[in-house]
Amino acid sequence: MTDTQTAASPQAQANDEARTLGIFMLCLLAVAIGVVAALGAAVFRYMINVVHNLFFLGTFSLEYDANLHDPASPWGPLIIFAPVIGGAIVVWLVRTFAPEAKGHGVPEVMYAIYHNNGNVRGVVAVVKSIASAISIGSGASVGREGPIIQIGASFGSTLARWINLARWQRITLLSAGAGAGIAATFNTPLGGVMFAVELLLPEVSNRTFLPVVIATATATSIGRFMFGLDPAFLVVFSDLPDRAMFNLLDLGAFALLGVLAGVVAWGFIRALAWCEDFFPTLPGNAYVQNAIGMLIVGIMAYAFFLTVGQMHTAGVGYATVQSVLNGGIGTFALLAGLMVGKIIATSVSLGSGASGGVFSPSLFIGATMGAALAALGNMLIPLAGFSLVEFAVVGMGAMVGGATGASMTAIVMIFEMTRDYNVIVPLVLAVAVATGIRRALIVENIYTIKLRNRGRPIPTIRHTNMYLVRQVADFMSPAFLVLPVETPIRAALDQMVGAEARHIIVSDDGRIAGFARLQPGYAPDRYAHETLGDIVADDFVIMPKAGILNTVITRMNQRGRSLAIVVDNPDGGVPRPDDVCGVIDSREIADAVVSNHYA
């Protein structure tokens, strides 16, 4: 046990008290974090504007409305290579300064909360903002919310470390920064709070909730001063049906939209995970792999330009979403093609090394999916009168909720982004169905699957004690011996003393037979003629090295076992004695709890 883990000592407890601020001071820090998050969102947006205008229009300008389509690029077909050039710069930045800046940001924030004591390096904010601005501005199919979340989280974490705050307060300020960032980006104060609560905060109480609310309110206020009061997307309410209630056909259609969203969210998660695994296996280095992916993205975007007049799948895609909400895109074939194209473009962009978020692409996919279903419904049932705009708004929420697993965040943010109260009832229905369908198909969401594949999972239900997410490899006991079943007990005791071992794993003919509880140095006469086979116990469970404490405790409790044997056999198959790498008994569990309780 290291010095930093001896939290039970009086000196360590005093240090913890000295590093814990009162709620008033914590809220003052939250105000500062909100200010920085809002300013960061503004600077980040202007950086995207500059890069976009340079790459696509050949001009230097701070002015760019992402909700409007661009005129034709003066570069002609050469615009295909814009994402390739931008991607090469991004790869260099990420590899040189901050590997954490790669990808869509939120998984790295979750990793910091659950596996890195709430620590996010300050340099990440700088590198992430520059890399993501170049990725988005040069045409990679990624969103701007993931970077600003990571930027806000980085500042909150850095400020907390500078003051040397306790772990739970570092995590609180980190979450406040993330929520403030997304609130300032989309003008969604409630959505920012819900995002922090549903996806980041392990504990929801007054001491954690209040700083998050203050940070998001501060960031939103400053953001509205700089960007205005308009919502992220404008919905023409006069074009929406004025309904006192929805009939069974409407509700059935919205429920079907939820089912479709759940399936599409599953496909999006799988496609993104596959691309993130596939591109690093391609020949060449990271630059070559990124160039291949960005070339695919550039070709796809230019193909849409040649076909329908706009590079729909390039960048954040807000202009396409706004076009759908304006009723400007209404054919089923085009809407379905845009949905599939955005899934591919986003998965390829992030898989090959772009830096940006997945929230905006989810909005794009959801809007085109919802409108496509309405268009198909009107073709099949001409008298149905489904509104493409209405289904697009609901589809956005269903896709976000299904992909991220943050149902309340999706409902609240879509309402704040569109100010369309007309669709609240179908929105709640579709989001609930989408989330349920996606969870039935795959437990992990688009954020947590990356951590799962990295061997650093977090609990499905995240409002839990922090020590429960400690990885098995971090607290298992390596002080064990593997001895054959025929070993005399006295000989086993002698070997335990010599090896300073605390546990004995008993093997029998190449398999794990169980374990023996022995006290080194104690050998009563009755053990004179007994072997390990006479006392072997089989009330154990097998745990992979990459598991977490929450899983260990749950599995031992459900099966009535008293010990966990940890194995490292990445190839799968039946664990063998040679695969054993550690043991977890009550002592190891107690040490994990004591040494990690808000240290």
Side-chain angles (χ1 to χ4, degrees):
M1 181 178 293
T2 64
D3 292 338
T4 59
Q5 291 176 316
T6 57
S9 68
Q11 182 61 46
Q13 291 176 357
N15 291 339
D16 281 347
E17 290 295 329
R19 293 187 289 115
T20 301
L21 296 179
I23 189 65
F24 178 75
M25 290 302 300
L26 204 63
C27 289
L28 286 182
L29 293 178
V31 172
I33 290 171
V35 172
V36 172
L39 296 177
V43 171
F44 181 54
R45 184 177 295 191
Y46 286 123
M47 289 172 62
I48 295 173
N49 295 352
V50 170
V51 175
H52 176 85
N53 290 329
L54 285 174
F55 272 87
F56 281 84
L57 303 178
T59 60
F60 181 86
S61 174
L62 294 174
E63 300 301 321
Y64 165 59
D65 189 344
N67 286 37
L68 299 176
H69 286 295
D70 286 323
S73 173
W75 311 126
L78 293 178
I79 196 65
I80 291 173
F81 297 100
V84 179
I85 297 172
I89 301 173
V90 169
V91 172
W92 179 79
L93 286 170
V94 170
R95 288 169 61 89
T96 304
F97 300 105
E100 309 98 300
K102 179 182 177 181
H104 46 107
V106 178
E108 304 303 329
V109 175
M110 289 181 166
Y111 174 84
I113 291 173
Y114 288 94
H115 295 294
N116 198 31
N117 298 319
N119 296 325
V120 181
R121 295 193 300 154
V123 70
V124 173
V126 178
V127 176
K128 185 69 175 183
S129 58
I130 298 174
S132 297
I134 294 173
S135 282
I136 296 169
S138 62
S141 181
V142 291
R144 66 189 183 196
E145 77 296 326
I148 194 59
I149 288 170
Q150 200 167 6
I151 292 167
S154 174
F155 178 73
S157 174
T158 301
L159 179 61
R161 291 201 314 277
W162 180 63
I163 304 174
N164 194 29
L165 294 182
R167 179 182 182 183
W168 73 267
Q169 292 196 331
R170 290 199 303 271
I171 292 172
T172 299
L173 294 185
L174 178 154
S175 302
I182 199 168
T185 299
F186 288 114
N187 190 13
T188 56
L190 292 177
V193 172
M194 292 307 303
F195 180 88
V197 168
E198 280 197 288
L199 291 175
L200 300 181
L201 284 176
E203 173 201 331
V204 180
S205 62
N206 287 337
R207 68 178 189 171
T208 60
F209 184 74
L210 190 57
V212 171
V213 171
I214 290 175
T216 54
T218 302
T220 305
S221 300
I222 296 175
R224 287 178 174 177
F225 176 78
M226 293 186 292
F227 305 125
L229 298 175
D230 290 337
F233 300 107
L234 297 177
V235 178
V236 182
F237 295 101
S238 59
D239 291 343
L240 295 177
D242 185 14
R243 306 181 184 182
M245 62 179 294
F246 292 91
N247 57 42
L248 291 178
L249 180 60
D250 295 326
L251 293 178
F254 285 120
L256 179 61
L257 176 57
V259 174
L260 178 61
V263 174
V264 173
W266 167 79
F268 185 27
I269 294 170
R270 284 298 189 191
L272 178 57
W274 184 84
C275 286
E276 288 178 334
D277 291 336
F278 171 73
F279 275 93
T281 66
L282 292 176
N285 57 22
Y287 292 95
V288 175
Q289 295 160 359
N290 180 263
I292 294 173
M294 291 300 100
L295 187 60
I296 294 172
V297 172
I299 292 173
M300 285 184 61
Y302 194 67
F304 273 107
F305 174 77
L306 294 178
T307 306
V308 296
Q310 297 294 340
M311 299 180 68
H312 286 290
T313 56
V316 293
Y318 292 163
T320 300
V321 173
Q322 188 63 65
S323 294
V324 174
L325 298 179
N326 291 341
I329 303 177
T331 61
F332 169 76
L334 177 55
L335 289 165
L338 289 173
M339 179 190 73
V340 175
K342 193 65 172 178
I343 292 175
I344 297 173
T346 303
S347 300
V348 170
S349 295
L350 291 170
S352 60
S355 179
V358 295
F359 191 92
S360 295
S362 296
L363 295 175
F364 183 112
I365 297 166
T368 52
M369 173 191 64
L373 181 63
L376 180 62
N378 288 332
M379 291 169 55
L380 299 177
I381 312 174
L383 298 179
F386 296 136
S387 167
L388 271 67
V389 176
E390 196 172 51
F391 272 71
V393 173
V394 175
M396 290 162 64
M399 185 64 196
V400 170
T404 66
S407 303
M408 289 303 299
T409 300
I411 294 169
V412 171
M413 287 196 68
I414 295 304
F415 171 64
E416 289 187 298
M417 292 171 69
T418 63
R419 311 278 172 84
D420 178 16
Y421 192 76
N422 192 56
V423 296
I424 284 294
V425 173
L427 180 61
V428 171
L429 172 63
V431 169
V433 173
T435 305
I437 293 295
R438 192 272 302 163
R439 283 184 58 85
L441 296 172
I442 180 173
V443 175
E444 302 297 334
N445 62 48
I446 203 162
Y447 297 138
T448 60
I449 192 171
K450 186 174 183 178
L451 298 178
R452 172 74 62 181
N453 292 344
R454 194 190 297 178
R456 288 288 183 175
I458 63 176
T460 303
I461 301 174
R462 281 175 291 282
H463 297 154
T464 183
N465 293 305
M466 291 296 295
Y467 64 83
L468 291 177
V469 299
R470 286 204 65 190
Q471 197 168 30
V472 164
D474 295 336
F475 67 90
M476 66 184 185
S477 171
F480 68 91
L481 292 173
V482 178
L483 299 175
V485 68
E486 62 269 17
T487 305
I489 292 178
R490 284 189 170 180
L493 286 166
D494 291 340
Q495 292 187 54
M496 289 182 72
V497 173
E500 297 184 352
R502 299 209 319 261
H503 307 278
I504 290 181
I505 306 301
V506 182
S507 64
D508 184 14
D509 195 25
R511 65 180 183 87
I512 300 173
F515 64 96
R517 296 188 188 277
L518 292 173
Q519 182 65 39
Y522 177 67
D525 294 336
R526 70 185 183 87
Y527 285 164
H529 305 291
E530 294 183 26
T531 65
L532 293 179
D534 296 320
I535 61 169
V536 63
D538 60 358
D539 61 323
F540 67 93
V541 295
I542 297 291
M543 281 297 304
K545 186 179 180 181
I548 58 177
L549 177 56
N550 185 61
T551 306
V552 175
I553 295 175
T554 301
R555 190 175 297 180
M556 290 174 65
N557 180 62
Q558 289 176 342
R559 302 181 184 181
R561 305 297 194 234
S562 63
L563 183 134
I565 298 175
V566 184
V567 298
D568 185 12
N569 59 336
D571 297 331
V574 178
R576 302 297 181 185
D578 290 341
D579 298 326
V580 177
C581 58
V583 176
I584 299 173
D585 205 343
S586 56
R587 175 173 174 177
E588 284 73 37
I589 294 175
D591 287 345
V593 173
V594 171
S595 64
N596 280 269
H597 189 63
Y598 286 106

